[in-house]
Amino acid sequence: MEMTDYYKILEVDKNASADEIKKAYRKMARQYHPDVNQNNKEAHKKFQEINEAHEVLGDAEKRRKFDQYGKDWKERAAFEQTRQHRGQFTSRGGQAQEGNFEGGDFSDFFGSVFGGRGGNSGSRTAKSRGKDYHAELHISLAEAYTTHKRTITLDGKAIRISIPAGIENGQKIRLNKHGAPGRNGNPNGDLYITFQIEEDLHVKRVGNDLYTAASVDLYTAVLGGETTIDTLTGKLKLKVQPGTQADTKVRLKGKGFPLYKKEGEFGDLFVTFKVGLPVNLSDKEKELFQALAALRPAR
């Protein structure tokens, strides 16, 4: 697939910074991701286009070559590099002849259909393994909490992978021989996936520990009772001790995040109590609070 204007594809200006390009790419990748556009061929095509554009513009050296040579940047850059290494002419039988350029297929492009940057498919040399692919996979914190399977699409082929519970944000795993094909019987390259774990609205992860807040009303904080909190696995009832102060923190041992590839082992869950004061008191309620204040004068 031949692209003529990568900037237009990512909807950024030619003077856009690296951060602006990355931000635009991630926004569009989420919009056109195959997981949210199943059976939509146009969205899949668009997703491949934006990944190809990011593969170039997200790499400073490739972007420089694209800006310099335009749509033929691969062929031109490769030719210049080869000419520098081999010389423009070779000598045969005492007569100078123009050297043969063995460039390979420079139009081949790895378009990762699940986010991130890919390398070129194929190899410049006849006796080497295939190039490695590199890509990003975005998952939620709840998905990272459990071991689950995920289907990704690579060069039009579906690959079923298993994601272990407890995987870290930024962690990279390798899929052996899922990269570019090797030449002349040499092995394929590998596929490296970097995981980007999105933040959760209710729960914060720090290492293998989880942190959340529980809202309780004044009466429950004073008299004790129960409250319910949201966790990554659903609702959880929590006992509130009588006389609980605002910002009191409790630790629930073994209720945190699972340890990576350590089945049955978990971090801890820390819950901070947020006490809400009643508002819009009626005259009767004010009278009762005044009576309570009289029973317990300020010290």
Side-chain angles (χ1 to χ4, degrees):
M1 181 165 48
E2 184 177 281
M3 297 299 175
T4 58
D5 193 341
Y6 294 128
Y7 293 100
K8 184 177 180 180
I9 292 170
L10 291 183
E11 299 178 2
V12 295
D13 185 80
K14 290 188 177 181
N15 296 319
S17 66
D19 286 341
E20 290 172 333
I21 289 174
K22 185 176 182 179
K23 183 177 180 181
Y25 162 73
R26 288 189 170 181
K27 178 181 178 181
M28 298 183 73
R30 290 189 181 97
Q31 180 181 354
Y32 294 100
H33 198 289
D35 285 352
V36 296
N37 294 277
Q38 296 182 6
N39 302 321
N40 187 334
K41 293 183 179 180
E42 289 300 320
H44 289 197
K45 179 180 178 182
K46 181 67 174 179
F47 193 70
Q48 289 177 324
E49 290 177 356
I50 63 177
N51 273 286
E52 182 171 335
H54 181 256
E55 197 271 350
V56 177
L57 300 185
D59 185 290
E61 181 62 18
K62 291 179 181 178
R63 181 181 180 183
R64 183 188 66 78
K65 293 176 180 178
F66 174 72
D67 289 341
Q68 180 179 359
Y69 297 120
K71 68 182 181 65
D72 298 322
W73 69 276
K74 283 186 179 181
E75 292 85 348
R76 292 286 301 276
F79 177 79
E80 292 295 334
Q81 182 179 10
T82 302
R83 186 173 63 179
Q84 291 174 6
H85 286 299
R86 300 182 183 178
Q88 188 172 6
F89 297 94
T90 58
S91 177
R92 293 182 180 177
Q95 295 181 349
Q97 298 179 349
E98 188 172 353
N100 293 324
F101 176 68
E102 299 175 356
D105 185 359
F106 293 100
S107 65
D108 285 349
F109 226 112
F110 166 55
S112 164
V113 296
F114 52 96
R117 180 184 306 163
N120 294 330
S121 65
S123 172
R124 296 292 192 272
T125 58
K127 296 182 179 180
S128 64
R129 64 190 289 275
K131 290 289 186 68
D132 294 333
Y133 287 163
H134 297 268
E136 287 183 357
L137 182 58
H138 294 256
I139 62 175
S140 68
L141 188 62
E143 288 174 323
Y145 187 90
T146 60
T147 297
H148 66 285
K149 294 189 180 296
R150 189 78 169 262
T151 300
I152 59 178
T153 307
L154 175 63
D155 288 346
K157 298 179 181 179
I159 301 174
R160 190 77 165 166
I161 65 173
S162 180
I163 302 176
I167 197 161
E168 295 274 357
N169 183 51
Q171 185 171 341
K172 183 181 296 186
I173 65 172
R174 183 184 72 170
L175 298 182
N176 190 34
K177 296 183 180 180
H178 279 85
R183 292 190 174 184
N184 295 343
N186 284 284
N188 293 356
D190 298 328
L191 169 61
Y192 291 87
I193 301 178
T194 301
F195 287 85
Q196 300 295 332
I197 302 177
E198 300 173 354
E199 294 182 359
D200 188 85
L201 293 176
H202 305 288
V203 182
K204 181 180 180 181
R205 178 187 181 185
V206 180
N208 294 311
D209 294 329
L210 296 175
Y211 293 80
T212 189
S215 297
V216 296
D217 57 44
L218 176 64
Y219 313 108
T220 304
V222 172
L223 302 175
E226 288 185 343
T227 188
T228 302
I229 60 175
D230 291 310
T231 71
L232 296 176
T233 56
K235 303 289 186 179
L236 176 66
K237 283 188 176 182
L238 189 64
K239 182 177 288 188
V240 181
Q241 297 296 329
T244 295
Q245 301 293 311
D247 294 328
T248 295
K249 184 181 293 184
V250 296
R251 173 190 177 192
L252 303 180
K253 187 174 179 60
K255 295 294 185 179
F257 215 73
L259 276 62
Y260 183 71
K261 290 190 176 181
K262 293 184 178 181
E263 188 174 354
E265 296 187 35
F266 295 82
D268 299 330
L269 171 62
F270 294 86
V271 182
T272 301
F273 288 105
K274 301 296 182 182
V275 179
L277 298 180
V279 296
N280 301 322
L281 297 177
S282 66
D283 291 340
K284 181 62 176 178
E285 288 173 320
K286 291 179 182 178
E287 182 181 335
L288 291 173
F289 271 109
Q290 289 170 351
L292 287 173
L295 291 173
R296 296 177 63 90
R299 297 177 182 178

